[in-house]
Amino acid sequence: MPMWTALAEGSWLTAERMRAAAIASLAVGLAAFAWLFATAHGTLDAWGRPLGTDFSDVYAAGRMALEGRAAAAWDWPSHYAVQQAVHHDPHVPFYGWHYPPPFLILAALLALLPYVTALLAWQATTLAASAALVRAILPGRQALLIALGAPVVFICLGHGQNGFLTAALLGGGLFLLDRRPILAGLMLGALVYKPQFGLLIPPLLLVGGHRRAFAGATAAALALIAASLALWGAPVWEAFVHSLPLTRSVVIESGATGWGKIQSPFAMVRMWGGDVPLAYAVQGAATLAAIGAALWLTRTSAPALRNAAACAAAILSTPYVLDYDYVVLGIGAAFLVRDGLDRGVLGWEKSLLAFVWCAPLFARQVATLTLIPIGQATAAIVLALAIRRALVLDGAGRAWIRAWPSRRSHGASLP
């Protein structure tokens, strides 16, 4: 079979190859982490970085909250001093704390444990939550194996980050939206801890007529805000608001984290040499387009497509999204696979979703070396596939849309 035809039909992507790729990725990832912990010195790895890197700022902020200095967590010199004390090293890399006060509640709970124990507990529980969601969307051991072997999983684990929690809350809320709306709303409202991913939630709930979920989301967000005020008072919110201009200038606009790691439309423009106003203009256009597409699918299409589009739109609608946050996009891909199993696979879907699965393995390096924004492209791919399925399968759009390759294979396996 010609290569082009094989790619279009996805015939090259057999169940055996998917399983082999997932097992190989899982084995390499686990071996790498085993070596990282085996060669560590206390809480630092062989290169002098904290185990879980970014988790260092979460743990230090939690320690400061327990010590009665919660508001100082947003003061970078004070925060860095605590990180140095936690790791017993004056030269440990600095990781900034940029989160709203509700996340400080969880950070304080984690800081009750020793650092390494807290890191392992944090990653294990949140990974288990997102894996359980994948299992609910796609029952079967192979789907779970492919999800656990996804390269983005090891990127998130290596950073000790909250991508699994974000994916579980956003994806879980979307998954339950039509069956248990209040619980779904509570989960979506809990995203107040990472508000850049919640921009589309209020309009999505309103446009979809999900009033009970909207009430639940509002209640959850207000409850978490009230809890942070009850625990630490207004100073934590004042400190957070006061820190925002510095975070925006240094982390987002100047790209101190690295344009290859920040994978948003804003970062793409900055990586290509565009100035800040142009980057914001492009980001604004991308945000409106992505959220608009998700809202359109909310009104016109199947829940699985709405959910896939919402996950992709959450990624595309913020200027500050990093490669480990693309766990959320993995959940969006799982929703696409669910719809494919239910209603048939269209041409190119299997190959494109395989690319989405693989891309985090090399997206940061490719962007850094070649300025090609592969990460941003995968988010656009998931959104475009959801739109295309709605146009082709739900009867929307003009006849020329149907000219796209649309060979179906009911019950086919997808990565």
Side-chain angles (χ1 to χ4, degrees):
M1 181 180 297
M3 183 180 70
W4 190 257
T5 302
L7 289 172
E9 295 184 351
S11 55
W12 66 275
L13 191 63
T14 64
E16 292 74 17
R17 286 175 176 170
M18 289 189 290
R19 190 181 307 113
I23 291 173
S25 177
L26 194 59
V28 171
L30 291 176
F33 282 113
W35 181 86
L36 195 67
F37 277 82
T39 58
H41 305 283
T43 61
L44 302 178
D45 65 20
W47 292 276
R49 305 170 305 181
L51 292 168
T53 58
D54 293 357
F55 184 71
S56 180
D57 71 74
V58 176
Y59 190 85
R63 177 73 66 84
M64 296 174 80
L66 294 176
E67 294 172 351
R69 299 186 293 144
W74 287 271
D75 177 68
W76 290 6
S78 299
H79 195 175
Y80 184 39
V82 175
Q83 291 183 49
Q84 292 168 317
V86 165
H87 301 293
H88 307 289
D89 187 341
H91 305 295
V92 67
F94 170 64
Y95 299 91
W97 171 259
H98 315 301
Y99 297 98
F103 195 39
L104 197 58
I105 300 171
L106 183 54
L109 292 174
L110 290 168
L112 292 170
L113 302 171
Y115 181 88
V116 175
T117 304
L119 170 63
L120 295 175
W122 161 242
Q123 293 291 262
T125 53
T126 55
L127 174 58
S130 59
L133 174 59
V134 171
R135 190 69 185 268
I137 299 169
L138 296 169
R141 288 181 294 179
Q142 174 148 314
L144 183 60
L145 173 65
I146 293 170
L148 291 175
V152 73
V153 168
F154 298 102
I155 292 173
C156 190
L157 287 173
H159 286 84
Q161 264 291 347
N162 48 38
F164 302 129
L165 178 61
T166 304
L169 291 174
L170 178 59
L174 293 167
F175 181 74
L176 296 172
L177 189 55
D178 303 292
R179 289 172 290 175
R180 301 189 64 183
I182 294 179
L183 177 58
L186 294 174
M187 296 177 72
L188 294 172
L191 283 170
V192 70
Y193 94 92
K194 201 161 185 176
Q196 69 264 38
F197 287 98
L199 186 62
L200 84 160
I201 290 173
L204 185 145
L205 296 180
L206 292 173
V207 167
H210 303 289
R211 288 173 290 184
R212 296 173 68 190
F214 187 89
T218 303
L222 292 177
L224 288 170
I225 292 170
S228 67
L229 288 169
L231 289 168
W232 300 296
V236 291
W237 281 95
E238 294 171 358
F240 168 65
V241 172
H242 181 73
S243 73
L244 290 178
L246 182 61
T247 298
R248 184 191 69 241
S249 174
V250 174
V251 179
I252 300 176
E253 295 178 351
S254 299
T257 307
W259 297 128
K261 186 175 179 180
I262 305 176
Q263 297 180 1
S264 67
F266 178 95
M268 177 185 68
V269 175
R270 295 290 285 143
M271 179 175 67
W272 287 346
D275 59 19
V276 171
L278 176 62
Y280 276 125
V282 171
Q283 179 64 59
T287 298
L288 291 175
I291 292 180
L295 297 183
W296 174 67
L297 289 175
T298 297
R299 295 287 296 176
T300 62
S301 196
L305 296 186
R306 172 202 65 200
N307 298 346
C311 289
I315 292 289
L316 289 167
S317 62
T318 171
Y320 189 52
V321 55
L322 290 91
D323 52 0
Y324 49 73
D325 292 315
Y326 273 62
V327 176
V328 172
L329 192 67
I331 298 298
F335 282 121
L336 281 180
V337 173
R338 178 70 272 165
D339 197 65
L341 294 173
D342 291 340
R343 301 197 289 171
V345 180
L346 302 184
W348 291 98
E349 284 184 334
K350 293 175 72 173
S351 294
L352 287 172
L353 287 174
F355 175 70
V356 170
W357 186 87
C358 295
L361 181 64
F362 48 80
R364 187 193 303 186
Q365 292 76 13
V366 169
T368 301
L369 295 174
T370 70
L371 306 186
I372 299 175
I374 287 178
Q376 294 90 322
T378 60
I381 286 171
V382 170
L383 181 59
L385 289 178
I387 294 171
R388 180 192 175 205
R389 291 188 67 83
L391 291 170
V392 173
L393 301 181
D394 296 331
R398 297 185 176 91
W400 62 267
I401 291 293
R402 300 181 186 279
W404 284 35
S406 56
R407 305 171 181 86
R408 301 191 193 183
S409 177
H410 289 278
S413 296
L414 286 170

